[in-house]
Amino acid sequence: MKMMDESLFIRVLGIKSPVLKVLDFLMDNESFDYSKTDIAEGANLSRATLFKAWPKLEALDLITATRSVGQAKMYRLNKKNPIVKKLMELDDTISEYFALKYESDSPSDERDRNEPLLLANE
């Protein structure tokens, strides 16, 4: 499991909501299922913050329970959900955009990589 700094997805959207952080973590690690503790850690959230956001994730059917390991329930992204599908497409598009942009940049364009990305709240 990778610990999440601020991803391109979060940086481009400029939204640091706990729900979006959880979704971003699960999109980046979609092949696996995780306990709530693992999700909180991976999304860089406190357990208390995760537990406040959890009802919204469940109400929108964005996550799905997969199995139990001991007393811990495991969860993953609900890839059948149309919202999740669109968010995954957006995440892929953002990654492709920056991969192509930086692939075509010359070393003299290094300064552009350190400039802040356009954010939704600017």
Side-chain angles (χ1 to χ4, degrees), residues 57-103:
L57 291 161
E58 287 186 318
L60 294 171
D61 200 28
L62 300 173
I63 45 117
T64 186
T66 56
R67 61 192 170 116
S68 292
V69 177
Q71 293 197 341
K73 276 191 179 178
M74 305 297 279
Y75 300 89
R76 72 175 352 139
L77 205 55
N78 180 4
K79 292 193 259 181
K80 294 178 182 176
N81 181 298
I83 296 169
V84 169
K85 287 179 183 180
K86 289 296 184 185
L87 287 171
M88 291 179 78
E89 284 178 33
L90 178 58
D91 189 34
D92 289 344
T93 301
I94 290 168
S95 296
E96 289 168 14
Y97 173 81
F98 283 96
L100 291 172
K101 177 178 174 21
Y102 292 134
E103 184 178 278

Side-chain angles (χ1 to χ4, degrees), residues 37-59:
T37 299
D38 291 338
I39 292 169
E41 182 182 307
N44 202 22
L45 298 171
S46 69
R47 282 180 49 86
T49 300
L50 177 70
F51 277 79
K52 286 179 191 170
W54 201 259
K56 182 177 267 186
L57 291 161
E58 287 186 318

